[in-house]
């Protein structure tokens, strides 16, 4: 229904436009840029829907649809009757706001119509705007693109805004808000300033190298600045995967021998029946994946077949896929039956999966592992009689839920290591584009160090500075910008 509505609006906007009689009436001047409009509050029935415009004809559109016809006070809500500009038919009684440029989100004249959120009301207002001369429906992300073009947002802030709109977990929200607030842009700006100073020193040496008044050690100072910047860039590049995991989700794989309670744990963590639970061993034959919010972090949770020698070709394929997923995991949830730790399957799983992974875990770049001993409700009342050689573990009962809080807290700590803590530390690199430009900058600094000619060294610094400028938003190609702004819905 909404797609059909937008088609009608687009047709109305393409209709014949009447020339404006007066330049001072708030109508668009001939040759000026188009004014766009869109529903910004999302589709579907709601209490209030927000429709906004941006461009030189925003004031004219506001006057055309409201009575009285004068513009409301800037940035103050005003209750107005909305009418169709052609027929004069009442459309709704709404709150309207006027944001004269450049003090608006896009930097242009903007207007907002806060109308009742019924489909008929929204349809009527959108079609009425489509009939106003100089207005057309906005494309996806066009409001934000205009804000970028007018210097209201840097490119990294635009990406932060997109991530904030799409954030589904607390950690994603915090990270996106930090990027929207400009922390990554400020960091890149500081690096760019360091490069600018180093380049100035090198060029000063080129221009005035034989001048006795030139300060001594100027090249050594540039070398020192480049070395410090190399260390900072290398540190961030080593952490690049963490930011991308935070944005797209860490891969958490639940594994263990048959009948350890893996599927029960997946259902418990996802809070819905993702996997079939049965006392029969080998129930799960394929990899079942579900996106979840684990302790505030985004994760792709995978339930896998029990690791054992397959009883048939189908189960053998399931075990092969389970081992394949294990190799791709960022975090392994290893599940054992607490009441059956002495069984051959449990001992084999400890020796082949748990022990090697625990040995690698101290290395921050390797897989992480949490050992979960399920079915604690089956242990004797006196407490578990567990081997002292058992690796660090957590006791859990998927049946009663006992131990779940401790598991969630452990998951929070592990995922903060895997994804990075969005509340503390330097801003994370959340996109492959960030990593590409930082790596390009680092490579250029390497060429600077290897340069045998001062002019070549200066050129290497210019290339490095260009990568930082493109990361922050300067000099980006239209294709890259199109991809970034495509993440936004119409109306944002």
């Amino acid at each position: 229904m909404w797609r059909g509505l937008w088609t009608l609006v687009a047709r109305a906007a393409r209709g014949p436009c009447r020339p404006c009689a007066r330049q001072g009436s708030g109508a668009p001047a001939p040759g000026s840029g188009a004014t766009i409009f869109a529903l910004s509050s999302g589709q579907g029935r709601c209490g209030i829907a927000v429709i906004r415009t941006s461009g030189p004809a925003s004031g004219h559109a506001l006057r055309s649809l409201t009575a009285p016809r004068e513009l409301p006070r800037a940035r103050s809500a005003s209750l107005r009757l909305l009418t169709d500009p052609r027929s004069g038919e009442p459309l709704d009684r709404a709150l309207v706001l006027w944001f004269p440029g450049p003090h608006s989100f896009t930097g242009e004249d903007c207007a907002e119509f806060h109308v009742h959120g019924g489909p008929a009301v929204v349809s009527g207002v959108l079609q009425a705007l489509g009939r106003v001369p100089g207005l057309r429906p906005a494309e996806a992300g066009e409001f934000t693109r205009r804000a970028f073009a007018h210097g209201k947002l840097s490119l990294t802030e635009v990406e932060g805004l997109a991530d904030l709109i799409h954030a589904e977990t607390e950690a994603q929200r915090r990270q996106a808000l930090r990027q929207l607030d400009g922390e990554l842009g400020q960091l890149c700006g500081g690096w760019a300033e360091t490069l600018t100073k180093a380049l100035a020193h090198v060029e000063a040496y080129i221009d005035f190298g034989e001048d006795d008044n030139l300060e001594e050690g100027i090249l050594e100072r540039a070398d020192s600045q480049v070395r410090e910047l190399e260390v900072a860039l290398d540190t961030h590049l080593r952490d690049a995967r963490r930011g991308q995991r935070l944005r797209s989700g860490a891969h958490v794989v639940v594994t263990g021998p048959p009948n350890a309670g893996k599927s029960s744990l997946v259902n418990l963590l996802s809070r819905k029946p993702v996997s079939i639970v049965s006392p029969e061993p080998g129930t799960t034959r394929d990899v079942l994946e579900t996106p979840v919010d684990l302790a505030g972090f985004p994760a792709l949770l995978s339930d896998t077949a029990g690791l054992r020698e397959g009883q048939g070709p189908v189960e053998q394929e399931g075990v092969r896929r389970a081992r394949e997923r294990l190799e791709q995991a960022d975090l392994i949830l290893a599940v054992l039956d607490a009441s059956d730790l002495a069984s051959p399957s449990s001992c084999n799983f400890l020796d082949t999966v748990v022990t090697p992974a625990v040995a690698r875990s101290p290395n921050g770049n390797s897989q992480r592992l949490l050992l979960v001993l399920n079915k604690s409700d089956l242990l004797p009342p006196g407490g578990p009689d567990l081997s002292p050689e058992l690796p660090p573990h957590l006791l859990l009962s998927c049946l009663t839920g006992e131990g779940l809080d401790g598991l969630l807290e452990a998951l929070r700590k592990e995922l903060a290591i895997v994804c990075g803590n969005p509340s503390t530390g330097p801003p994370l690199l959340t996109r492959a584009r960030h990593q590409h430009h930082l790596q390009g900058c680092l490579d250029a600094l390497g060429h600077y160090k290897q340069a045998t000619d001062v002019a070549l060294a200066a050129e290497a610094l210019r290339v490095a500075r260009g990568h930082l400028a493109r990361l922050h938003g300067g000099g980006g190609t239209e294709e890259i910008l199109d991809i970034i702004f495509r993440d936004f819905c119409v109306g944002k």
Side-chain angles (χ1 to χ4, degrees), residues 330-368:
D330 298 313
L331 173 61
I332 298 172
L333 276 180
V335 184
L336 285 173
D337 185 341
S339 64
D340 192 33
L341 294 177
S343 67
S345 60
S346 295
C347 293
N348 180 63
F349 180 74
L350 283 168
D351 293 338
T352 59
V353 176
V354 176
T355 302
V358 169
R360 294 192 303 266
S361 283
N363 180 359
N365 294 325
S366 67
Q367 288 178 325
R368 311 288 300 181

Side-chain angles (χ1 to χ4, degrees), residues 18 60 145 164 426 451:
R18 293 184 301 241
H60 178 58
R145 187 156 188 165
L164 185 63

Side-chain angles (χ1 to χ4, degrees), residues 33 49 60-63 73 90 101 180 214 223 236 274 281 287 289-290 293 311 327 355 370 463 478 485:
H60 178 58
L62 192 53
R63 286 193 180 101
R73 192 156 54 94
L180 176 59
L214 188 65
D223 291 344
H236 274 76
V274 174
V287 178
E289 296 181 330
T290 182
D293 178 345
Q311 302 299 303
E327 296 175 0
T355 302
L370 281 177
V463 171
E478 285 298 313
F485 288 101

